[in-house]
Amino acid sequence: YFELYFVFAAVWACGSAMAVTGGVDYRKEFSKWWKDKFKTIKFPARGEVWDYYVDRRKQDLAAWVESVPLISFNSTTPMSVVTVPTGETMAVSYWLENLLGRAHPAM
């Protein structure tokens, strides 16, 4: 179980700052490399390593999109002020809440 957290932390620590440079998506390349080299904890074949987190209840990797809450809003609310949660916003929120909540800086 702790291996899941180690792999999750290692993936994000080593590869999360990568970007698209010169037409090469280094995050995608890192994801392919990680899945190819490290077989102890297997990420699902679908998607990238960034698309998954450790689900404490299942004690396994789960897709961020599975954690997206349903939203409800008033139809008179302007769409410009409505934030629609996605898998990506769930991942960013996870890191911000965990880092800032413990007074660790986050970029």
Side-chain angles (χ1 to χ4, degrees):
Y1 182 63
F2 289 112
E3 283 181 302
L4 282 170
Y5 281 101
F6 176 81
V7 167
F8 177 68
V11 161
W12 280 88
C14 297
S16 65
M18 294 183 180
V20 177
T21 305
V24 178
D25 187 344
Y26 288 102
R27 283 176 53 105
K28 193 171 270 193
E29 293 296 318
F30 178 85
S31 180
K32 281 192 261 184
W33 176 80
W34 187 277
K35 286 180 176 183
D36 185 49
K37 293 289 182 191
F38 298 99
K39 304 289 186 184
T40 305
I41 302 293
K42 285 188 138 310
F43 281 87
R46 185 175 183 172
E48 308 298 331
V49 294
W50 326 107
D51 298 331
Y52 299 92
Y53 72 102
V54 178
D55 185 321
R56 291 181 185 185
R57 289 178 311 205
K58 295 179 187 176
Q59 294 187 1
D60 200 5
L61 295 170
W64 286 109
V65 295
E66 293 175 8
S67 67
V68 176
L70 293 175
I71 63 167
S72 62
F73 60 94
N74 187 324
S75 62
T76 60
T77 304
M79 287 306 290
S80 61
V81 298
V82 175
T83 301
V84 178
T86 64
E88 188 169 345
T89 60
M90 296 305 294
V92 170
S93 295
Y94 171 85
W95 288 112
L96 288 176
E97 289 169 10
N98 278 288
L99 292 171
L100 296 178
R102 290 171 176 78
H104 291 288
M107 288 179 55

